[in-house]
Amino acid sequence: MADRPLTFMAVHAHPDDEATGTGGVLARYAAEGIRTVLVTCTDGACGDGPGGVKPGEPGHDPAAVAAMRRRELEASCEVLKVGHLELLEYGDSGMMGWPANDAPGSFWRTPVDQAAARLAELLVRYQPDVVVTYDENGFYGHPDHIQANRITTAALAMTGMTPKVYWTTAPRSMMQRFGEVMREFGADWEEPDPAEADAMPEIGLPDEEITTWVDTSEFGGQKFNALGTHASQSENIFFLKMGEERFTQLMGVETFVRVQDTTGAALPEDDLFAGLR
């Protein structure tokens, strides 16, 4: 440990994912002198184009969207003081069932061992002490998030490395407040049909199942501004409508499930680096 800095690595699917789920911890740990590494797996080409135009609609140019989202991602990293940005640049697979899932070069279509080998090279290079990615369902079933989980798990197995590993999540109590705030700000938040809800994995976890609650409220402004760099994406607009103070009240604690640990740090934790310093 003496010859290298403590290192945090986040493995995300798309440009802007780094800000929504881990913007607070990226900013906090950078401020604490920890080396931060962001791996973004896809080019984000299935995101919104200028004016909110969607994939497949007239005026949506995937290459131009990817270029725009790369610029936004780089700006977000500047706001969050991310030390190292690594781009795998697989094609954005879109939502589950979209034709983009099976497009040549899409992340979802890429063999897990092939993508994992590239991530393994980054693990060996940076030697992270903490690695964060999504759970096995990609938090809400997005194919690229699921694939990020798969390649992270496979890459760790390839290297034999044993950092602390976490999956991002959200407490169910917060999801309820989230829905209330979305309705308050005029966003479309409809309760799913009960029959459909039974067939879908529930988003987030009961509060008591969350292992790690990290207070990032001091860095709420940075997280808010990082999302602001991704303002081209319509899903971020309602966050920005809240204003920084309300946003920080809602999003000022980031939550995780610890899935690998060799430190023996007691649970629940309030620090991803508990047991390491």
Side-chain angles (χ1 to χ4, degrees):
M1 292 284 272
D3 61 350
R4 64 179 180 83
L6 281 171
T7 300
F8 172 75
M9 176 182 283
V11 181
H12 281 294
H14 312 98
D16 83 356
D17 291 334
E18 82 291 337
T20 51
T22 57
V25 289
L26 283 165
R28 170 177 163 166
Y29 290 130
E32 292 178 3
I34 289 170
R35 181 172 62 167
T36 54
V37 182
L38 170 63
V39 180
T40 300
C41 297
T42 80
D43 58 9
C46 287
D48 295 349
V53 63
K54 305 295 182 184
E57 294 179 350
H60 189 280
D61 179 347
V65 170
M68 173 184 66
R69 297 195 72 187
R70 177 167 180 167
R71 292 191 296 271
E72 291 178 338
L73 176 60
E74 290 169 348
S76 173
C77 287
E78 287 186 23
V79 170
L80 298 173
K81 309 300 183 187
V82 171
H84 302 270
L85 172 61
E86 297 287 349
L87 304 173
L88 299 187
E89 296 189 292
Y90 290 106
D92 188 340
S93 309
M95 300 299 287
M96 193 68 81
W98 285 16
N101 293 178
D102 296 316
S106 76
F107 190 36
W108 184 241
R109 181 174 172 175
T110 301
V112 168
D113 59 350
Q114 180 182 322
R118 295 182 61 198
L119 181 58
E121 291 179 4
L122 298 176
L123 290 170
V124 171
R125 182 188 310 170
Y126 290 107
Q127 296 286 309
D129 302 281
V130 172
V131 175
V132 167
T133 191
Y134 315 98
D135 64 22
E136 293 161 309
N137 187 51
F139 187 59
Y140 66 99
H142 194 297
D144 288 330
H145 292 219
I146 294 169
Q147 188 78 330
N149 168 278
R150 291 174 176 172
I151 74 161
T152 302
T153 302
L156 288 165
M158 285 178 182
T159 62
M161 295 169 65
T162 57
K164 296 181 80 177
V165 179
Y166 295 87
W167 293 343
T168 57
T169 192
R172 295 266 166 81
S173 60
M174 191 276 276
M175 293 303 295
Q176 183 177 349
R177 291 198 303 276
F178 186 68
E180 293 167 357
V181 172
M182 285 191 75
R183 284 189 289 268
E184 178 186 338
F185 282 88
D188 185 18
W189 179 273
E190 295 182 4
E191 295 297 329
D193 178 88
E196 293 179 2
D198 288 343
M200 296 169 57
E202 198 165 1
I203 294 176
L205 290 173
D207 292 28
E208 63 272 15
E209 293 182 20
I210 291 173
T211 66
T212 311
W213 305 69
V214 184
D215 182 356
T216 60
S217 55
E218 183 180 343
F219 304 94
Q222 280 176 263
K223 182 170 178 172
F224 181 80
N225 291 333
L227 268 176
T229 72
H230 297 288
S232 70
Q233 303 308 298
S234 59
E235 64 266 25
N236 296 328
I237 298 302
F238 103 92
F239 284 117
L240 301 175
K241 282 183 179 178
M242 292 183 199
E244 181 182 320
E245 182 177 355
R246 189 70 182 276
F247 173 83
T248 300
Q249 290 172 354
L250 183 67
M251 306 287 283
V253 174
E254 293 181 349
T255 51
F256 306 87
V257 174
R258 191 175 82 188
V259 293
Q260 177 173 291
D261 174 62
T262 59
T263 69
L267 296 176
E269 301 170 313
D270 60 7
D271 179 10
L272 298 175
F273 285 83
L276 292 168
R277 55 178 174 170

